[in-house]
Amino acid sequence: MQLSALLPKHWPAVKEIYEQGIETGIATLETKAPEWEAWDKAHLVHSRFIAEDQKEILGWAALSAVSGRCVYAGVAEVSIYIAAKARGKGIGKILLEKLISESEKQNLWTLQAGIFKENIASIALHEKCGFRTIGYREKIGKLKNEWKDVALLERRSKLVGND
């Protein structure tokens, strides 16, 4: 398993994995993956990674800003997706740990994640990596005419922002 920066050339495989997540119905409110330009604009330039095994991309993780206001410059939201055939093999934990490490190098003090309540595996993964559930956003959006509740998880860095 090798981790490397997520680059534009990886987008076709990354997009396919994103679409596999969309198909589960428990990963996102999105119903289709964006094109590269839109995805690139929505995510921070740093802290974008892919997990590869024998040149096959099996997962990806990235961060997006939670706000354009400077007071929230140290807070980012996690996106992490694992290829259907690679789920349950520890790739998510490897990617999330790398994302956490890199976020701290980039001076981020809080990472947050919004996860559908029924996505038990993703909630467990985040908890293993130091996230805690701080609440729920009830009926935050509809997916296929069904209101979805989202657990809000957060991880506060022990290295950054503790002054």
Side-chain angles (χ1 to χ4, degrees), residues 119-143:
N119 194 341
I120 297 165
S122 186
I123 291 171
L125 165 65
H126 284 76
E127 288 174 343
K128 284 179 192 170
C129 291
F131 285 72
R132 64 187 177 96
T133 300
I134 58 171
Y136 295 94
R137 301 177 82 187
E138 293 183 28
K139 297 182 178 179
I140 194 66
K142 279 187 173 182
L143 181 62

Side-chain angles (χ1 to χ4, degrees), residues 1-7 10 14 48-52 57-61 95:
M1 180 69 53
Q2 177 181 327
L3 298 182
S4 58
L6 190 163
L7 303 172
H10 301 128
V14 166
R48 301 173 173 189
F49 301 102
I50 57 166
E52 288 182 285
I57 297 174
L58 299 176
W60 63 271
L95 277 166

Side-chain angles (χ1 to χ4, degrees), residues 15-144:
K15 183 179 180 183
E16 182 179 331
I17 293 168
Y18 191 18
E19 289 168 340
Q20 291 172 8
I22 291 169
E23 289 173 14
T24 68
I26 62 168
T28 179
L29 288 167
E30 298 295 337
T31 57
K32 66 178 192 169
E35 294 305 317
W36 167 255
E37 294 76 18
W39 186 93
D40 182 48
K41 186 176 180 182
H43 291 81
L44 298 176
V45 175
H46 61 77
S47 305
R48 301 173 173 189
F49 301 102
I50 57 166
E52 288 182 285
D53 187 26
Q54 298 179 2
K55 298 190 179 186
E56 181 180 13
I57 297 174
L58 299 176
W60 63 271
L63 296 176
S64 54
V66 298
S67 174
R69 296 177 57 200
C70 63
V71 294
Y72 297 110
V75 183
E77 184 170 0
V78 172
S79 292
I80 185 165
Y81 288 80
I82 307 303
K85 69 179 184 179
R87 293 180 191 142
K89 297 181 180 181
I91 297 168
K93 188 170 188 279
I94 293 167
L95 277 166
L96 190 52
E97 287 173 344
K98 176 68 172 172
L99 201 61
I100 290 166
S101 173
E102 185 62 26
S103 73
E104 291 175 330
K105 291 176 187 173
Q106 297 296 328
N107 210 31
L108 299 178
W109 55 81
T110 298
L111 296 181
Q112 66 182 39
I115 305 171
F116 288 169
K117 289 171 72 172
E118 58 267 39
N119 194 341
I120 297 165
S122 186
I123 291 171
L125 165 65
H126 284 76
E127 288 174 343
K128 284 179 192 170
C129 291
F131 285 72
R132 64 187 177 96
T133 300
I134 58 171
Y136 295 94
R137 301 177 82 187
E138 293 183 28
K139 297 182 178 179
I140 194 66
K142 279 187 173 182
L143 181 62
K144 298 181 181 174

